[in-house]
Amino acid sequence: MPSSDLSDFSGACARPPLLALRNICKTFPGVRALRNVELTAYAGEVHALMGENGAGKSTLMKILSGAYTADPGGECHIDGQRVEIDGPQSARDLGVAVIYQELSLAPNLSVAENIYLGRALQRRGLVARGEMARACEPTLARLGADFSPVACVSSLSIAQRQLVEIARAVHFEARILVMDEPTTPLSTHETDRLFALIRQLRGEGMAILYISHRMAEIDELADRVTVLRDGCFVGTLDRDHLSQAALVKMMVGRDLSGFYTKTHGQSRQGEVMLSVRDVADGVRVKGCSFELRAGEVLGLAGLVGAGRTELARLVFGADARTRGEVRIASPAGLVTLPPGGPRQAIDAGIAYLTEDRKLQGLFLDQSVHENINLIVAARDALGLGRLNRPAARRRTTEAIDTLGIRVAHAQVNVGALSGGNQQKVMLSRLLEIQPRVLILDEPTRGVDIGAKSEIYRLVNALAESGVAILMISSELPEVVGLCDRVLVMREGALAGEVRPASSAAETQERIIALATGAAQPAAGWVGTPLAAAGNAAAAGNATSSMLH
């Protein structure tokens, strides 16, 4: 059961914690971000920090890193000594290192120069690049780096750049390492390597604070888990008491036992709403064909790079097709969607939720109100260029209430919201066009458990109302739990179709087998290869970039 007692970590009572935060509070103008939060971490421990978006995790870590200053009254102890962290340099001097989701590297500098960033060695007024490179070699070798200290960071992969951040912390003997959603940009193979490195650092006595929304990662790595909710400390669980049900209940304050439950029924599926025939782009997508019915949730799964997003963009008209046809239902039957761009698709009743909400979906420097009304403002204009402001305000209020968007007021900039609330804003904008076909590309990426639950509820409700939904997701439990059937892509082609089997695990295995080309369907197989023109793909080898 939840506890803040230090003895709940095996062996912890025999030694003092390396880090102890007590009664940490933080207030911003008009917002109480943290209220009497507690956290302890021991040397040689992976301590996970969980909570919904907006729960206060990032604020707490920024206080620990020196980016924020806590309100008076709280205490921070390192090695049993009370300390004051009054800036980033102070945190580094105390042995605290933070690796944020957005890596803080200078891409135009070398690996060694990034490791020494802000502390560059100089000899006679010149930067001693060679000396820094030689000094970094033992650290990089210790971490198993496969790149040189003189390599330019811009030439490295995301996983390698993340390793540079870790090397910086290790090189300067950080004892407390904070990692914020470190696996978000990584493939499964890269994630496995990261986990091995985390275990190595834990074995060497480092205390690792690990922030993640992914239950599987917490189960695999965490010795203890502390949960925050609405800026408050909820409790700490040791490994022996960890369970997904307990953590979810602590995070959201309610039971989500039916988390992936599909409530819409296949019996309610109606006419074909979308027909895609032999669609290709000449590069990433190789002649794909499928149909989508009213009231159906059709999943699109595959390995990273299989072409799922590219196919969705071709259907929506965001990218140009080299061949193929997209038809959508109309009162006169299926009609061909003319090429020309997304406007034609939107006018025909197709809405597309992009996987990258920050770069392609939202205007982060504009308000929630402006983002919600962006597409439909002209629809109810009063003429002569005048906007119907009362109608826009009603629309915004209804969207905030219906989707549960947590915002102080509608004029707050979208960029200031949590990931889950940003996703809800983008969904509310799309729903205002009253789509008949809704394409969802990674709809729950980077959102917390509570927001996921609300998005799943919305997906079920839309399907129940007759909307045809094409959902792309890299989370197999999500695909299996919500979709009526799943199309699997491999190397730009549709490799097969999977319908739910007797168990979720069996269905996931079938999806992976088709996605990797690891096996051909056997007798009684629910998933079958697609034989439509252009869908014959050579059996691909299992790659290191698996579904995640």
Side-chain angles (χ1 to χ4, degrees):
M1 59 187 299
S3 171
S4 58
D5 187 350
L6 302 184
S7 64
D8 61 1
F9 177 54
S10 178
C13 56
R15 56 196 171 97
L18 175 58
L19 170 70
L21 301 176
R22 293 284 182 261
N23 299 317
I24 301 298
C25 300
K26 181 62 181 176
T27 304
F28 297 102
V31 178
R32 190 78 179 270
L34 294 176
R35 185 182 296 107
N36 301 322
V37 171
E38 300 183 8
L39 179 70
T40 59
Y42 293 86
E45 173 189 15
V46 175
H47 191 130
L49 185 62
M50 299 193 74
E52 296 187 80
N53 287 333
K57 305 183 300 297
S58 295
T59 301
L60 183 63
M61 292 304 98
K62 286 180 179 179
I63 288 173
L64 183 58
S65 72
Y68 291 162
T69 301
D71 295 348
E75 297 181 3
C76 176
H77 295 259
I78 294 180
D79 269 339
Q81 300 295 315
R82 183 169 180 176
V83 299
E84 297 292 335
I85 301 178
D86 53 13
Q89 186 60 54
S90 171
R92 286 194 292 267
D93 292 342
L94 290 166
V96 179
V98 181
I99 300 177
Y100 297 103
Q101 279 184 269
E102 304 294 333
L103 301 181
S104 56
L105 298 175
N108 59 316
L109 299 181
S110 71
V111 169
E113 288 171 309
N114 271 278
I115 290 175
Y116 276 90
L117 202 61
R119 308 183 184 188
L121 298 180
Q122 293 189 356
R123 295 292 179 262
R124 298 179 180 178
L126 299 176
V127 176
R129 292 183 175 85
E131 185 176 346
M132 290 191 297
R134 288 190 295 274
C136 290
E137 286 177 350
T139 301
L140 294 174
R142 172 182 164 192
L143 299 178
D146 57 357
F147 49 85
S148 165
V150 298
C152 187
V153 164
S154 62
S155 69
L156 304 182
S157 69
I158 293 295
Q160 290 173 322
R161 295 184 192 193
Q162 193 177 71
L163 186 56
V164 174
E165 292 259 27
I166 296 173
R168 179 194 292 164
V170 171
H171 187 74
F172 288 103
E173 300 181 345
R175 296 178 297 160
I176 301 166
L177 178 63
V178 181
M179 307 185 80
D180 189 359
E181 298 283 0
T183 64
T184 298
L186 304 183
S187 68
T188 298
H189 175 66
E190 291 168 336
T191 296
D192 289 342
R193 290 184 60 186
L194 176 64
F195 285 1
L197 181 56
I198 288 173
R199 294 188 185 97
Q200 175 187 330
L201 296 174
R202 175 176 59 185
E204 294 173 359
M206 185 177 284
I208 299 171
L209 298 177
Y210 190 92
I211 301 174
S212 178
H213 288 132
R214 297 179 175 179
M215 291 291 182
E217 295 179 5
I218 301 304
D219 183 62
E220 184 167 348
L221 286 176
D223 298 300
R224 290 190 300 151
V225 182
T226 289
V227 177
L228 302 183
R229 184 171 72 238
D230 297 329
C232 298
F233 170 78
V234 177
T236 297
L237 293 176
D238 66 17
R239 185 161 188 84
D240 291 339
H241 296 95
L242 285 183
S243 72
Q244 178 169 331
L247 287 173
V248 168
K249 191 169 184 178
M250 290 172 69
M251 289 168 63
V252 302
R254 62 188 186 278
D255 183 15
L256 294 179
S257 56
F259 195 48
Y260 291 115
T261 302
K262 180 175 63 177
T263 59
H264 63 278
Q266 284 187 305
S267 61
R268 297 180 63 89
Q269 291 177 18
E271 63 176 320
V272 173
M273 296 297 294
L274 180 71
S275 175
V276 176
R277 287 289 175 264
D278 197 29
V279 165
D281 64 0
V283 182
R284 299 292 300 276
V285 180
K286 306 170 184 176
C288 295
S289 303
F290 64 90
E291 290 183 343
L292 176 60
R293 293 182 174 274
E296 179 182 25
V297 180
L298 175 61
L300 191 58
L303 306 180
V304 174
R308 297 168 299 171
T309 293
E310 291 80 2
L311 175 57
R313 289 176 60 86
L314 292 177
V315 171
F316 186 61
D319 296 330
R321 306 189 298 266
T322 56
R323 72 168 191 264
E325 181 182 53
V326 176
R327 296 190 296 167
I328 187 166
S330 74
L334 288 173
V335 296
T336 300
L337 185 67
R343 173 48 61 184
Q344 283 72 20
I346 292 171
D347 290 344
I350 302 176
Y352 174 50
L353 182 85
T354 175
E355 66 173 337
D356 192 337
R357 59 178 173 264
K358 291 188 176 181
L359 290 181
Q360 300 176 1
L362 295 169
F363 292 88
L364 299 178
D365 58 349
Q366 294 187 16
S367 69
V368 170
H369 173 77
E370 290 168 319
N371 272 273
I372 289 174
N373 287 278
L374 189 65
I375 294 179
V376 296
R379 186 178 65 193
D380 50 10
L382 299 174
L384 300 177
R386 293 180 301 149
L387 297 177
N388 189 337
R389 299 187 188 279
R393 285 194 293 270
R394 285 195 300 271
R395 183 181 297 119
T396 299
T397 300
E398 290 173 2
I400 291 173
D401 292 341
T402 302
L403 274 74
I405 300 171
R406 297 181 183 178
V407 62
H409 54 81
Q411 297 306 317
V412 171
N413 279 3
V414 166
L417 302 185
S418 66
N421 285 306
Q422 288 179 351
Q423 198 79 331
K424 292 177 190 177
V425 170
M426 194 158 63
L427 272 168
S428 66
R429 178 209 294 164
L430 297 180
L431 296 181
E432 290 300 331
I433 69 175
Q434 299 176 345
R436 290 176 293 159
V437 175
L438 179 59
I439 302 173
L440 301 175
D441 194 349
E442 301 287 2
T444 64
R445 172 174 289 172
V447 307
D448 57 60
I449 293 290
K452 281 186 177 183
S453 177
E454 293 168 354
I455 290 172
Y456 297 156
R457 176 186 56 79
L458 179 62
V459 168
N460 276 308
L462 290 171
E464 192 72 16
S465 71
V467 176
I469 299 173
L470 177 65
M471 189 173 82
I472 302 169
S473 178
S474 295
E475 295 192 31
L476 283 183
E478 185 172 272
V479 171
V480 173
L482 291 178
C483 297
D484 300 297
R485 57 192 176 100
V486 181
L487 300 178
V488 183
M489 291 195 73
R490 183 175 72 242
E491 297 179 0
L494 290 175
E497 176 186 309
V498 175
R499 294 180 183 270
S502 57
S503 73
E506 183 182 359
T507 307
Q508 291 183 42
E509 289 173 3
R510 292 171 175 175
I511 291 172
I512 292 174
L514 284 173
T516 62
Q520 291 299 314
W525 184 277
V526 179
T528 55
L530 299 176
N535 283 341
N541 294 325
T543 69
S544 62
S545 184
M546 298 291 292
L547 288 161
H548 60 88

